[in-house]
Amino acid sequence: MRNVLLVDDEPLIVEGMQSIIDWNANQMQIAGTARNGVEALATLDGLSVDLIITDIMMPRMTGLELIREVKVRSPLTKFIILSGYEEFNYVREGITLGVENYLLKPVNIGELEATIKHMQHDWEREEVRQIHIDQSWRILRTNILQRWANETINAQEFRERAQLLEIPLTKSRYSAAALRIVTGHDMEEPQLYRPIIAEQCEIIGGKYVPDGCEIICFPDQEGDIIVLFASTGREGEEWKYHALYGMKQWIVSDTGARVWGVKGQAEQSYLGFPQSCRQVKQWFQNHLLGDSETLLESLDDRNEAAHTYENREPAMDQFHKLLRDGQRLEVDGFIDDFFDVQAEAGHSARMPFFNSAIQLMLAAKTLEKTPDYGEVFGPLSRIHTRSGLKQLVKSVVHQTLDTYHAAERDYSPHVMAVLDFVKNTYKEELSLKTLSQKLDLHPNYLGQLFQQEAGTSFSDYVNQYRIERATHLLLYSDKKTAEVAAEVGYWDTSYFYRQFKKYAGVSPTELRSMYMKK
């Protein structure tokens, strides 16, 4: 509802204006009345008004004087002036002040309603413009905060932008927290608009902020909601827990998602905020979360790096036999038993589970003639929970079993020769033209035959085979990436990187970071 103030020294005019149209139907309400400009200003001291309808000639303060004074106090307030025929010179001055319209007494209902409709369009356009301004401001602030957290902005630029964007730099304590949202199956990217969630979290968190402290929320590039706590250091930590808990509970109730929150250690100045951010992000990187609904973890006075975890390996001989026998229920039972044996309600170290999951998936992939390693490594970066990791392993293994235990395909002698040649000479330069000469076939015919029987092109098969060999070397040897590339037939290391990323879904460096060799 828009608030309207009626100002006229004639009571009958004021009464008539209140009933002349249906104000509610026009999304407006009469918020107050006054007999002159002085009374109107007194009323405005405790009232926000969108529209003032005022007479021109009044005792003590005229309508024009009132308009000049209100425009200083509230530039967005709109005005309609009421006048008689003999007051046109005053009306002209009112027009120069930017009033919406002037209406002759007695007021014409149609003209008043038309003026109101016009103002409503103006208000709507102004609201849209203000939303765009607010969103642009938030987008800019989020960008600067992300760069600050990642330390990709120089100190001078950050200080300048921080002053413009009202980012506090003079507090005594700075700490970061992160809220990670997982909806449904965490292999799938949840369709949630993180900036809106961050904006609402900031509003909720603000309810718990003591005097002298500030809180800012923004989404990072991985979809986590980062919380900046800036405090004087005299308030303790309790309010931060209350703020995080309130945000977490709101996200759970509003989205139905599971939420985990981690708060980092407090640093002595704003320069330490990136360190606190790295700490909470590293915690998520090092842990898989359990299947409990929520978690709120504090890293204060803890040294996560000092923790050691037992890396329990699956019984691979048994698993290989189950795969070859094609016993899907037994395979699923094996995977369930392995992942559920340590299924405590809380979190657990990520690396031991990742190591074992990669072992299980690669064991299945070795049964495929043209394995797609992107199915193994591509989704791993999106896995946050043990249940999500277990589901990924099952998905990869099921797909392998579906193809491996289908009816065996009989390859023609020519295609068998090509497969054997690739297996024995994949380190060398290979081409379909060279092979076709050895087999005394036309290259086009051999290529079509291979595509038909193997289900993939010759070049794709060669690259997939080489990437398979490279994967084992990267995981189970200490050879440098360039050495691995050369050993599997890639003499250009940059080309090897591109091909590996294409077929495996991750870079060689990312692959090694996912798997910790023992």
Side-chain angles (χ1 to χ4, degrees):
M1 285 283 188
R2 299 282 180 179
N3 285 335
V4 181
L5 176 65
L6 302 177
V7 186
D8 200 301
D9 60 336
E10 299 181 47
L12 291 178
I13 296 293
V14 172
E15 292 177 10
M17 289 296 298
Q18 293 184 71
S19 58
I20 192 172
I21 64 172
D22 188 344
W23 293 98
N24 286 330
N26 288 279
Q27 300 299 307
M28 306 180 84
Q29 61 183 2
I30 304 301
T33 62
R35 292 176 297 178
N36 54 58
V38 175
E39 285 189 12
L41 289 178
T43 302
L44 289 172
D45 284 341
L47 183 66
S48 175
V49 170
D50 302 285
L51 170 64
I52 295 177
I53 300 177
T54 179
D55 188 15
I56 286 185
M57 300 303 297
M58 296 179 295
R60 302 183 65 187
M61 178 182 283
T62 68
L64 297 180
E65 292 171 331
L66 171 65
I67 292 171
R68 292 192 191 94
E69 183 65 29
V70 173
K71 277 187 170 291
V72 173
R73 301 184 183 187
S74 178
L76 297 181
T77 299
K78 295 183 181 297
F79 300 89
I80 296 175
I81 57 177
L82 306 178
S83 70
Y85 285 103
E86 72 280 2
E87 299 167 348
F88 188 71
N89 286 334
Y90 294 103
V91 170
R92 284 192 300 184
E93 185 178 352
I95 292 173
T96 64
L97 292 174
V99 300
E100 296 301 312
N101 200 357
Y102 70 93
L103 303 178
L104 295 175
K105 300 177 181 179
V107 175
N108 181 288
I109 297 176
E111 188 174 2
L112 175 60
E113 288 188 325
T115 302
I116 289 174
K117 295 293 185 187
H118 177 78
M119 286 190 299
Q120 286 172 334
H121 289 309
D122 286 345
W123 277 322
E124 289 173 1
R125 285 193 294 269
E126 178 60 30
E127 287 175 348
V128 170
R129 189 182 74 86
Q130 192 60 46
I131 288 172
H132 288 164
I133 291 173
D134 291 344
Q135 290 303 316
S136 297
W137 180 85
R138 285 191 172 275
I139 290 171
L140 176 59
R141 190 184 71 165
T142 295
N143 176 267
I144 296 301
L145 288 167
Q146 288 177 348
R147 292 172 63 193
W148 179 27
N150 296 331
E151 296 183 287
T152 57
I153 184 172
N154 67 59
Q156 181 177 350
E157 180 185 358
F158 174 67
R159 285 193 296 269
E160 292 172 354
R161 297 292 189 273
Q163 183 175 8
L164 174 67
L165 299 170
E166 300 177 359
I167 299 172
L169 299 183
T170 58
K171 305 299 181 182
S172 301
R173 294 288 187 276
Y174 289 80
S175 60
L179 295 169
R180 175 156 293 181
I181 306 169
V182 179
T183 61
H185 196 310
D186 64 8
M187 286 167 60
E188 301 172 358
E189 180 63 25
Q191 298 300 312
L192 299 173
Y193 190 54
R194 296 304 203 278
I196 295 298
I197 293 176
E199 186 176 342
Q200 187 63 31
C201 282
E202 189 169 317
I203 294 172
I204 293 170
K207 299 175 182 178
Y208 302 93
V209 177
D211 291 340
C213 302
E214 294 189 46
I215 189 171
I216 295 177
C217 300
F218 62 97
D220 69 4
Q221 294 171 336
E222 294 177 328
D224 292 333
I225 305 301
I226 303 299
V227 184
L228 162 66
F229 295 110
S231 62
T232 65
R234 298 187 298 271
E235 306 82 5
E237 298 292 309
E238 196 67 23
W239 70 276
K240 300 178 184 178
Y241 293 107
H242 290 311
L244 278 177
Y245 184 79
M247 297 177 205
K248 182 170 66 68
Q249 291 302 99
W250 173 79
I251 297 174
V252 171
S253 63
D254 189 72
T255 67
R258 287 179 293 169
V259 182
W260 293 276
V262 178
K263 186 180 76 67
Q265 294 181 3
E267 303 293 336
Q268 296 298 318
S269 78
Y270 75 91
L271 297 175
F273 178 68
Q275 167 63 26
S276 191
C277 282
R278 285 196 301 272
Q279 187 184 35
V280 296
K281 296 293 288 186
Q282 189 63 48
W283 190 92
F284 280 124
Q285 181 64 30
N286 291 343
H287 293 82
L288 280 175
L289 303 169
D291 296 326
S292 57
E293 183 184 68
T294 58
L295 171 75
L296 197 57
E297 180 83 5
S298 173
L299 305 184
D300 290 340
D301 302 321
R302 295 184 57 179
N303 183 5
E304 285 290 322
H307 289 200
T308 59
Y309 302 94
E310 180 184 357
N311 190 358
R312 190 179 70 86
E313 294 188 8
M316 294 307 298
D317 290 342
Q318 179 187 355
F319 188 63
H320 278 293
K321 184 178 186 304
L322 293 174
L323 289 173
R324 289 193 299 269
D325 292 343
Q327 302 296 322
R328 179 179 292 225
L329 290 178
E330 286 78 358
V331 167
D332 282 354
F334 180 95
I335 296 171
D336 286 334
D337 289 344
F338 176 76
F339 279 96
D340 294 345
V341 72
Q342 295 178 337
E344 69 276 10
H347 54 274
S348 55
R350 175 186 296 259
M351 196 56 68
F353 280 93
F354 261 46
N355 285 351
S356 299
I358 290 172
Q359 281 183 290
L360 294 172
M361 290 187 286
L362 290 182
K365 283 295 179 183
T366 57
L367 299 178
E368 299 181 10
K369 292 182 173 63
T370 56
D372 180 1
Y373 287 100
E375 298 171 353
V376 174
F377 301 111
L380 282 174
S381 62
R382 303 191 297 273
I383 296 296
H384 308 304
T385 64
R386 288 195 305 271
S387 60
L389 184 61
K390 181 172 70 173
Q391 186 59 37
L392 174 63
V393 172
K394 284 187 175 182
S395 175
V396 170
V397 171
H398 288 175
Q399 186 169 350
T400 294
L401 292 177
D402 288 342
T403 56
Y404 177 68
H405 293 288
E408 288 293 330
R409 176 179 293 139
D410 294 326
Y411 290 110
S412 66
H414 290 137
V415 172
M416 282 298 301
V418 173
L419 295 174
D420 288 339
F421 194 80
V422 171
K423 181 177 180 180
N424 295 323
T425 61
Y426 66 90
K427 299 179 183 181
E428 303 173 10
E429 185 175 349
L430 297 174
S431 73
L432 200 59
K433 181 178 180 180
T434 302
L435 284 172
S436 65
Q437 291 174 350
K438 292 179 179 294
L439 298 173
D440 196 21
L441 293 173
H442 192 281
N444 290 343
Y445 172 74
L446 182 58
Q448 292 171 0
L449 185 65
F450 189 89
Q451 176 80 45
Q452 180 180 348
E453 296 189 18
T456 186
S457 68
F458 174 75
S459 61
D460 273 342
Y461 180 81
V462 172
N463 278 314
Q464 287 172 339
Y465 193 86
R466 286 172 169 170
I467 297 305
E468 176 187 352
R469 305 314 306 159
T471 297
H472 283 272
L473 289 172
L474 288 166
L475 293 179
Y476 304 118
S477 79
D478 293 324
K479 293 183 177 183
K480 295 180 180 179
T481 303
E483 294 175 325
V484 171
E487 188 160 331
V488 298
Y490 293 103
W491 301 105
D492 184 340
T493 305
S494 61
Y495 179 70
F496 169 68
Y497 263 86
R498 292 195 299 272
Q499 292 300 101
F500 197 94
K501 180 81 171 180
K502 174 182 177 181
Y503 288 97
V506 294
S507 70
T509 303
E510 290 170 333
L511 171 63
R512 276 185 158 162
S513 70
M514 291 177 178
Y515 186 87
M516 182 173 61
K517 294 186 292 294
K518 296 166 281 299

